[in-house]
Amino acid sequence: MKFDIQKFWKNTQRNQLTLYPKAIALFCLLNIITLLPDVQEIYSSIGLISPEIVSEYLYPYSLRLEWILSPMQAFNLSEEVTTSIIIAIYMLSLCFVVFRYKTLFFSIVAWIIHLMLVNTSYFFSYGADYFINFGLFLVVLFTIINYLKDPEKKRLFSVFTIRLLQIHLCLVYLFAGFGKSLGTDWYNGNAVWYVLNNYSPNLQDEFSYFLLLSTYIFKIACWLTLFFEFFFPILIFYSRTRKITLFAVISMHIGIMMFMHLYTFGAIMILLDLIAFGHYFDKEYRILKRMFSNKIQAISFNNNSRIKES
Amino acid sequence: MKNTLIIFLLFHVIVVVTVNLFSFKNFSPSKTAKLNYVGQQYITNFQPTDPVEPIKSIVGFYANITGTNRGYEFFSPNVSSGAIQLRFEKENCEEIQLLETSESSVKMVVATIYYFKKIKNEEAKNAITKSICKRIFEKNQDINTIKVYLKMRNVNPILSYTSESEFLEKELLISTVKKHKNEI
């Protein structure tokens, strides 16, 4: 298995660079919609955790909503109204990115606002929020490509953006696997056992007999997680293992969604994995597309024949 | 342009690696009983030293704006055998629902984990509890007293689990907050 540096800068993607920023922006829009009823509690300075407490845990340079909320009080705008306006601007910016209107400007606006939201809700922010932030950073990079005139620069920048995401995901899984490999729970099966019991306690009632039959099921699940995470950077770039590796990590994230109920986290990871490595399934995608278009053609042919007969 | 992009890529890799190496510093050496041999050797021998200030700020700023400022050591090196939940109750023992949506509930679980595992200072914990209760009082004028409970749930390791095993569940009253005094 040789590493060819020239191949690193070769364009491996099918031409979906306009789709990726739209997909990420749409995801972010859906994410904020799921939080709309609670935006005041989580993000506003009159929310559950006051900004004075949060600011003790932030660096001085961390952008935060408080920097906008405080000056707005001079215009007799309450914190609730200002927070709602900022959320509305965030959602509108994402809509403009989806519909490709002044994408660079609005992608930067969306990225900065989301960064402020994540910093402001420091205690409430978790992996999904940080990956969404990274996704919005990628949207800015994707939209920069449209402003480059030279085709070679366009190609280089588009390859760079995808490679950045690929390398980033490799580091994510590598360090996740490395951290897990230092303990004991991920070898004796306890890790998946504890996760299932703590996040899906009812599962045990339904499958208790099955679960007791063999503890090897949990050990295998733990070892597979360790293996695919730790060796992800190698397996994902090696031609014989890339598809099974991508399938394995996507399955892992589906499992996270189903059993840990971390829907946003699982979904953003699947989205980023597909953007980075989804082109590995180009052949399968084309076969599926042909199958569906043949089926649609067959259905419309049958309908037309019935219309003619009648 | 190619060279600029390569430098940017390398910088990104350095930032991510730095953030993650420092996040492993949270693996407490006092808890090495649950680390395997490699884990114990790593924690005792390979702890990175803090970088000098300008580098720390540059790395921290870039990590913050790109969303790479939290390491990926969640569920590392081990998974907690227990779950914890904060519960807020009115005087009439009715539970107070803080947040409405399921995604918000996930965020509340995250906040609870931070509250108990990352914040060691009791004063800081009390400040957070008071802040949450203050918001509840503002939204619900009819509430005068809030009781804050800590609900804990622990499960046995898999090898000692039997069909008769039950979860160890406990609920502790950790504070009572009165409206006008906002005291704990």
Side-chain angles (χ1 to χ4, degrees), chain A residues 6 8-9 31 34-35 37-38 40-43 46-50 53 57 59 61-63 80 111 115 119 122-126 129-131 133-134 137 148 153 156-157 160 163-164 167-168 171-172 175-176 178-191 193-195 197-199 201 204 208 212 215 218 260-262 264, chain B residues 1-2 5-6 8-9 12-13 16-17 20-21 24 27 33-36 38-40 42-43 56-57 60-62 64-70 72 74-83 98-104 106-108 110-111 113-114 119 124 127-128 131-132 135-136 138-139 153 155-159 161-163 165 167:
Chain A
Q6 295 304 322
F8 186 83
W9 292 105
N31 172 245
T34 61
L35 291 166
D38 297 313
Q40 300 297 340
E41 311 309 321
I42 296 170
Y43 299 120
I46 55 163
L48 288 172
I49 301 179
S50 71
I53 298 171
Y57 298 88
Y59 287 108
Y61 50 70
S62 301
L63 300 179
E80 279 173 338
W111 175 40
L115 178 62
N119 286 335
Y122 178 83
F123 289 102
F124 295 104
S125 299
Y126 68 112
D129 300 300
Y130 294 98
F131 278 109
N133 207 53
F134 183 68
F137 171 64
L148 296 171
K153 281 186 181 170
L156 262 178
F157 205 91
F160 157 76
R163 290 296 187 201
L164 177 73
I167 290 169
H168 183 75
L171 290 171
V172 166
F175 280 106
F178 176 68
K180 291 178 174 82
S181 70
L182 300 179
T184 55
D185 284 350
W186 287 96
Y187 294 100
N188 56 22
N190 273 332
W193 171 250
Y194 289 147
V195 163
N197 277 286
N198 287 328
Y199 287 85
Q204 199 209 20
S208 55
L212 278 174
T215 56
F218 294 95
M260 293 178 68
H261 312 295
L262 298 178
T264 307
Chain B
M1 188 185 182
K2 199 172 178 179
L5 294 177
I6 290 170
F8 186 85
L9 204 57
H12 183 88
V13 170
V16 172
V17 169
N20 279 280
L21 288 178
F24 289 150
F27 297 171
K34 278 204 85 180
L35 293 176
N36 56 38
V38 173
Q40 289 178 17
Y42 177 82
I43 295 300
K56 194 174 173 181
S57 294
F61 178 72
Y62 177 79
N64 186 243
I65 63 170
T66 53
T68 52
N69 54 329
R70 294 261 181 108
Y72 307 113
F74 201 73
F75 286 157
S76 300
N78 298 300
V79 178
S80 173
S81 60
L98 295 177
L99 299 167
E100 291 179 32
T101 69
S102 60
E103 177 63 16
S104 308
V106 170
K107 286 184 172 291
M108 194 64 210
V110 170
I113 292 170
Y114 258 86
I119 301 173
I128 292 171
S131 176
I132 295 173
R135 179 62 180 159
I136 297 172
E138 280 168 9
K139 278 180 70 177
R153 192 167 176 275
V155 66
N156 289 330
I158 191 168
L159 289 177
Y161 176 79
T162 63
S163 57
S165 290
F167 297 110

Side-chain angles (χ1 to χ4, degrees), chain A residues 211-268:
Chain A
L211 295 176
L212 278 174
L213 273 182
S214 175
T215 56
Y216 282 106
I217 294 165
F218 294 95
K219 277 190 182 172
I220 290 167
C222 287
W223 293 343
L224 284 174
T225 305
L226 258 184
F227 176 75
F228 280 109
E229 281 192 347
F230 192 76
F231 293 106
F232 183 87
I234 300 167
L235 298 172
I236 199 66
F237 287 112
Y238 185 43
S239 54
R240 291 186 187 206
T241 52
R242 54 175 58 147
K243 284 186 186 177
I244 184 74
T245 305
L246 187 59
F247 179 76
V249 294
I250 288 176
S251 305
M252 179 182 74
H253 290 304
I254 291 172
I256 286 172
M257 288 167 78
M258 281 171 58
F259 298 113
M260 293 178 68
H261 312 295
L262 298 178
Y263 305 109
T264 307
F265 177 74
I268 186 65

